[in-house]
Amino acid sequence: MGFPRFHGAVRNLIIINTAVFVILLLLFAFARNQGLYLLQLGALSPEAVRHGWVWQFLTYGFMQLDPFNFLMSMLGIYFIGSAVEAQTGPRRFIELYLVSLIGSGLIGFLLSFTRVFAQGGAVGSGPAANALLMVFYLLYRDARVMPMFIPIPIPIKYIVMFTAAVEGAYLLLSRFSLMMTVQLLGMGTGYLWYRFMWRRMNIFAYFTNQAASFQNSYYRWKRRRAGKKFQVYMKKHNQDAKDYFDEYGNFRPPDDKDKKNGGSTGGGWVN
């Protein structure tokens, strides 16, 4: 029944979100034109993204205007996010938060090309909060949570189902607006992160390893290609390529008699 500690990645994200929210409130109160311009820069707009404003895939998650939605999102990040960070660690928690925002925004943007789904704009950290809720459920499937204003412990799976149902209803009422689309997509990106990224490698390491694997494959292909050309050359000169290559296409090490430096064994043959 105690409150989680206010520390780590959860604290940093709440501070950043709160700072941006306060700045927007002050601008809209005392410099409305500047506030509208900042909102235009940061809110997710498919039309703006088509013109190169790709940073909106991230910044829209920090644009908050509705005080109630902002409060609910921050409470969700604080209570649910603290338990998730305790399991994943701060770095993986930040990764989950950013992946859910960017992934939801990107899928919503692609759906906007249908001219039916994901129309309009989107702001708020709702996708990240929903992703945290989904990951919390996957980590603590048997947990019971006492929601605000309801002093009864409720299984987390029912809270996830209720949240999805309510937001699905809002999605229909808003005629598949981008705002509600990315909200629901947050649950999906949270599940995908848990399923394919957590306990394996972070997303940056994944792409780094993929790039290294591709580079190694390319070099192996070049070596095999050079080996085949050399074999053709050797056949033209009536020499056996097997004297120079093994069955894997690697150069055979030279005989000891061919070694320099007095036949030293220091340093092996490198393919």
Side-chain angles (χ1 to χ4, degrees), residues 2-271:
F3 288 91
R5 288 180 58 197
F6 187 64
H7 74 299
V10 168
R11 177 191 62 192
N12 296 337
L13 287 171
I14 291 177
I15 291 175
I16 294 173
N17 277 280
T18 303
V20 175
F21 178 67
V22 171
I23 291 172
L24 280 173
L25 283 182
L26 293 176
L27 286 177
F28 269 83
F30 301 104
R32 187 173 181 82
N33 290 336
Q34 286 76 6
L36 289 172
Y37 180 70
L38 179 60
L39 184 64
Q40 183 183 16
L41 283 177
L44 179 60
S45 169
E47 188 66 29
V49 172
R50 294 187 190 107
H51 287 83
W53 294 20
V54 294
W55 61 82
Q56 293 183 348
F57 287 128
L58 174 63
T59 57
Y60 82 97
F62 298 91
M63 299 286 111
Q64 308 275 0
L65 283 179
D66 187 282
F68 181 77
N69 289 337
F70 169 74
L71 178 62
M72 291 297 102
S73 296
M74 294 303 103
L75 288 175
I77 293 172
Y78 173 57
F79 286 103
I80 299 295
S82 296
V84 173
E85 184 182 357
Q87 287 289 330
T88 63
R91 292 183 62 183
R92 305 309 301 273
F93 181 85
I94 292 291
E95 178 189 287
L96 166 61
Y97 193 92
L98 298 181
V99 164
S100 61
L101 286 178
I102 297 173
S104 299
L106 179 59
I107 298 174
F109 168 71
L110 295 177
L111 289 174
S112 70
F113 285 98
T114 64
R115 302 297 180 180
V116 177
F117 299 97
Q119 301 302 298
V123 294
S125 56
N130 279 347
L132 294 175
L133 178 62
M134 175 58 71
V135 173
F136 179 88
Y137 161 69
L138 295 171
L139 291 172
Y140 307 96
R141 296 176 186 266
D142 298 325
R144 290 176 175 269
V145 178
M146 187 177 297
M148 294 180 62
F149 314 118
I150 304 178
I152 302 174
I154 300 175
I156 185 62
K157 63 179 180 180
Y158 295 129
I159 295 179
V160 173
M161 293 169 60
F162 176 78
T163 302
V166 171
E167 292 185 351
Y170 275 111
L171 178 66
L172 296 175
L173 292 173
S174 65
R175 296 184 179 182
F176 306 102
S177 68
L178 179 62
M179 183 76 172
M180 296 311 304
T181 298
V182 296
Q183 291 267 28
L184 275 174
L185 286 172
M187 288 191 177
T189 54
Y191 174 82
L192 292 175
W193 179 87
Y194 176 87
R195 178 67 178 80
F196 297 106
M197 295 183 182
W198 191 56
R199 292 191 181 280
R200 295 191 179 186
M201 61 183 69
N202 62 51
I203 189 171
F204 305 106
Y206 172 80
F207 285 113
T208 300
N209 289 346
Q210 290 298 312
S213 177
F214 176 79
Q215 185 181 45
N216 291 336
S217 298
Y218 173 71
Y219 285 140
R220 285 193 294 267
W221 173 79
K222 286 189 64 175
R223 187 170 60 188
R224 288 195 299 267
R225 186 166 175 265
K228 289 180 180 179
K229 288 183 177 180
F230 188 71
Q231 290 180 24
V232 172
Y233 172 83
M234 297 298 290
K235 288 180 180 179
K236 288 182 179 180
H237 292 77
N238 298 320
Q239 297 188 41
D240 190 357
K242 293 182 178 180
D243 293 337
Y244 298 89
F245 294 93
D246 61 17
E247 64 272 20
Y248 303 105
N250 297 322
F251 285 106
R252 293 183 181 278
D255 295 333
D256 291 342
K257 63 182 180 180
D258 296 330
K259 289 185 177 180
K260 298 180 180 181
N261 300 326
S264 172
T265 60
W269 178 260
V270 180
N271 273 299

